[in-house]
Amino acid sequence: MKIDVLLGLQWGDEGKGKLVDVLTPDYDVIARFQGGPNAGHTLEFNGIKHITHNIPSGVFRENSINLIGNGVVLDPVIFKREVEAVMDLGVDLGPRLLVSRKAHLIMPTHRILDEASEAQKGKTKIGSTLKGIGPTYMDKTGRNGMRVGDIESADFKEKYDFLTNKHLQILKQYNFEFDLKEYEKGWMDGIESIRSFQLVNGEYEINKYLAEGKSVLAEGAQGSMLDIDFGSYPYVTSSNTICAGACTGLGLSPQKIGKVIGVFKAYCTRVGSGPFPTELVNETGEALREHGAEYGATTGRPRRCGWLDLPVLKYTIMLSGVTELIMTKSDVLTHFDTLQVCTGYKYNGKITDELPFDINLPVEPVYREIPSWNADLTGITEKKDLPVELLDYVDFVEKEVGVRISYVSVGPDRNQIIKM
Ligand code: GDP
Ligand code: IMO
Ligand code: MG
C-alpha cells in the first residue's frame, strides 16, 4: 500500500481538519508529520465543534489509529489538555493514539524564547503563534533537542535541566521578563500524560502498516506557503509543510507516496505577518472575514483575507505533485455578486505566473472577474444541485491549474461536502 497525503496549499487554515475527519472512514491510520500546536484544525459534527492542535484529526472516527510522527514538535501541556478534552467526549484514545519516540518536545523555555524573539523583532515580527515552534526546531537542527523517547531514559531530568539552563543563558541577551515557574507548571504532568500512551518507533510502525495493506492518510499542518524552504520566507513556519515533509516526518521513502490531496479555500487567508499579494484591505476583505468567520483557530487573531491566487496554487501544486484538489468555503462566496481570481502578477514590467524569489517585493495581481452564485449552498449534498456559476468556477480553476477538484466543501460540518 501507499500513503496518501493531505496538505494545505495556501497559508494554512484551508479546512484540512474538516477534510481529514471527512476522509478518515476510508483510512485505517491517520498520521501527523510536521508542525505542532501552532496548528488549529477544526472539526464539526453532531453539533460539536472541536479543534485539534497536536493530535491527528482522525481521533473521532471509531477504529482509526492516530500517529504523531517524528517530524512533529509536541507540547506536553497542550497534549494533555487535548487528549483529556477528546476523552471527555467519550473517545477511548488509549489504544488508538501512538506517539513517535523521535518527535521533539517543546519545552517551557522554547515558548519563552519564541516570545522574547518576537518581542525583540518589533515591527518585523513573524506573527508567530508563540507556541515555541521555531526554537524547538532550532534545537532539533542544532542537535540539542529533547525527544519523546528521552522520557524513557534515566537521565531525562538532567537533560531537561541542562537544556533549560542553556536557554536561560540565551534569554539573558533579551530584555524580556518571564515567569518560568508559570510555564513549567503542568509540563511534567504533561510528560506523564504522554508516557501513558504507546510510544513507538514510528518509522517502523508506519512502514509495517503499509506492508500489512493498511491504508494511511498523512495530515499536513500549516500551508505550503508557510514551508520553511519554499514559503514566503522569512514569514513562514519552521518545518517542511509540502509533501516531501511527509517522507522525513514519518520515515517513508518517496516511492511510498500515493495520492497527494491539496486543500484550498475558494479565496485566500493568512494570519500573521508577511506578503499576501491578493490581500483586500477594504470592505470586501472585511466581508470575507465576517462571512467566512475568519478568526484563528489557535490564537483567535483576525485572519487577513483576499481573492484566490492561482500563481500560488500552481506553485504549491508543483512543489507537492498534487494529484487531486479539494475546494473549501465555497459557501462564503455566495455573499458576493462578482468574484476576482488572480491569474498572474505584474512584476518588473512583465506579467508572469511565477512567484519571484523575493515574494516580499510588492507584485501587482492581475485579476479575472467571474460571476458569483447567489444561492445558498449550505444544504446541498449533490453535484447536480450546485449552481452553474459555481460549476464554472470549479471548471475554470481546474483548467488553469491542471488538476481535478474531487470535493467541494459548502459549510463547516462533516456532512457539508459534495463529491464532484
Ligand atoms: P485547518 O487549519 O486547515 O484545519 O482549518 P481551520 O480549522 O483553522 O480553519 C477552517 C475554518 O473554516 C474552520 O472554522 C472550519 O470549521 C471552517 N470550514 C471548513 N470548511 C468550511 C466550508 O466549506 N465552509 C465554511 N463556511 N466553513 C468551513
Ligand atoms: P494550521 O495547521 C495558519 C503562521 C503564524 C505565523 C507563522 C509562524 O491550522 O493551518 P509559528 O507559530 O509556526 O512560528 O508561526 O505561521 N501559522 C499558521 N497560520 N494556520 C496554521 O496552522 C499556522 N501555523 C503557523 O501565524 O505567521
Ligand atoms: Mg487552522
Side-chain angles (χ1 to χ4, degrees), residues 6 8 12-19 38-44 49-52 57 219-222 263 265 267 269 291-298 303 327-332 378 408-413 416-417:
L6 183 141
D13 303 330
E14 296 89 350
K16 300 175 291 294
K18 167 186 166 158
L19 266 306
N38 48 350
H41 295 180
T42 314
L43 284 63
E44 284 194 38
K49 178 172 169 173
H50 190 89
I51 300 174
T52 60
S57 298
E219 173 181 2
Q222 288 77 56
V263 185
K265 271 182 198 170
Y267 49 98
T269 63
H291 292 301
E294 295 295 356
Y295 295 89
T298 296
R303 294 179 184 143
M327 183 168 86
T328 61
K329 305 203 100 161
S330 320
D331 53 305
V332 175
T378 55
V408 166
S409 173
V410 293
D413 192 88
Q416 290 174 304
I417 189 84

Side-chain angles (χ1 to χ4, degrees), residues 54-253:
N54 252 313
I55 63 179
S57 298
V59 286
F60 288 104
R61 299 289 197 172
E62 245 176 84
N63 304 324
S64 69
I65 296 171
N66 290 267
L67 171 71
I68 298 178
N70 58 280
V72 172
V73 290
L74 192 57
D75 183 322
V77 179
I78 296 174
F79 175 86
K80 178 169 186 282
R81 208 184 300 143
E82 256 196 286
V83 296
E84 284 174 357
V86 172
M87 307 242 249
D88 282 350
L89 291 169
V91 177
D92 183 12
L93 274 184
R96 303 211 272 113
L97 181 63
L98 278 52
V99 187
S100 168
R101 290 192 173 91
K102 292 198 170 83
H104 278 245
L105 289 169
I106 300 177
M107 298 168 59
T109 37
H110 284 134
R111 293 191 58 165
I112 298 169
L113 281 165
D114 207 2
E115 286 184 53
S117 158
E118 283 283 84
Q120 194 195 45
K121 282 188 169 144
K123 273 195 181 148
T124 60
K125 70 176 183 185
I126 309 293
S128 158
T129 59
L130 304 180
K131 302 292 178 201
I133 306 295
T136 308
Y137 279 117
M138 279 165 70
D139 269 340
K140 173 178 176 173
T141 52
R143 297 157 296 178
N144 294 311
M146 290 195 73
R147 299 184 291 177
V148 166
D150 291 327
I151 295 175
E152 297 171 315
S153 78
D155 58 352
F156 173 67
K157 185 69 172 60
E158 283 91 89
K159 280 185 183 162
Y160 173 85
D161 289 340
F162 181 80
L163 193 51
T164 297
N165 283 328
K166 188 168 173 165
H167 292 159
L168 291 175
Q169 292 302 319
I170 298 170
L171 278 162
K172 282 187 185 154
Q173 297 161 24
Y174 292 94
N175 184 18
F176 187 78
E177 281 188 25
F178 58 89
D179 181 356
L180 179 59
K181 286 275 164 299
E182 180 62 33
Y183 277 89
E184 275 183 329
K185 226 190 285 167
W187 198 83
M188 288 296 171
D189 289 347
I191 292 293
E192 290 313 307
S193 173
I194 295 173
R195 202 197 294 279
S196 71
F197 288 90
Q198 294 176 66
L199 309 186
V200 295
N201 298 330
E203 60 279 33
Y204 282 106
E205 207 70 17
I206 200 111
N207 281 290
K208 193 182 78 193
Y209 291 142
L210 294 179
E212 286 169 352
K214 287 201 167 74
S215 53
V216 185
L217 178 67
E219 173 181 2
Q222 288 77 56
S224 308
M225 289 303 290
L226 292 172
D227 181 272
I228 181 72
D229 282 283
F230 299 105
S232 44
Y233 193 87
Y235 300 100
V236 293
T237 190
S238 302
S239 63
N240 280 117
T241 59
I242 60 170
C243 184
C247 295
T248 55
L250 289 170
L252 285 168
S253 86

Side-chain angles (χ1 to χ4, degrees), residues 343-408:
T343 54
Y345 303 136
K346 233 183 238 166
Y347 173 68
N348 273 349
K350 289 193 192 125
I351 293 180
T352 175
D353 65 357
E354 203 170 303
L355 272 61
F357 160 69
D358 190 357
I359 194 196
N360 298 304
L361 294 172
V363 292
E364 192 188 325
V366 177
Y367 288 110
R368 173 167 172 154
E369 192 167 289
I370 296 184
S372 185
W373 41 91
N374 285 116
D376 179 7
L377 307 180
T378 55
I380 298 180
T381 52
E382 288 188 54
K383 182 184 173 188
K384 68 176 176 43
D385 298 323
L386 287 173
V388 65
E389 293 86 354
L390 173 62
L391 294 173
D392 287 347
Y393 193 81
V394 166
D395 194 48
F396 174 67
V397 173
E398 286 181 339
K399 288 210 172 90
E400 284 283 317
V401 303
V403 181
R404 293 296 307 275
I405 296 179
S406 55
Y407 288 95
V408 166

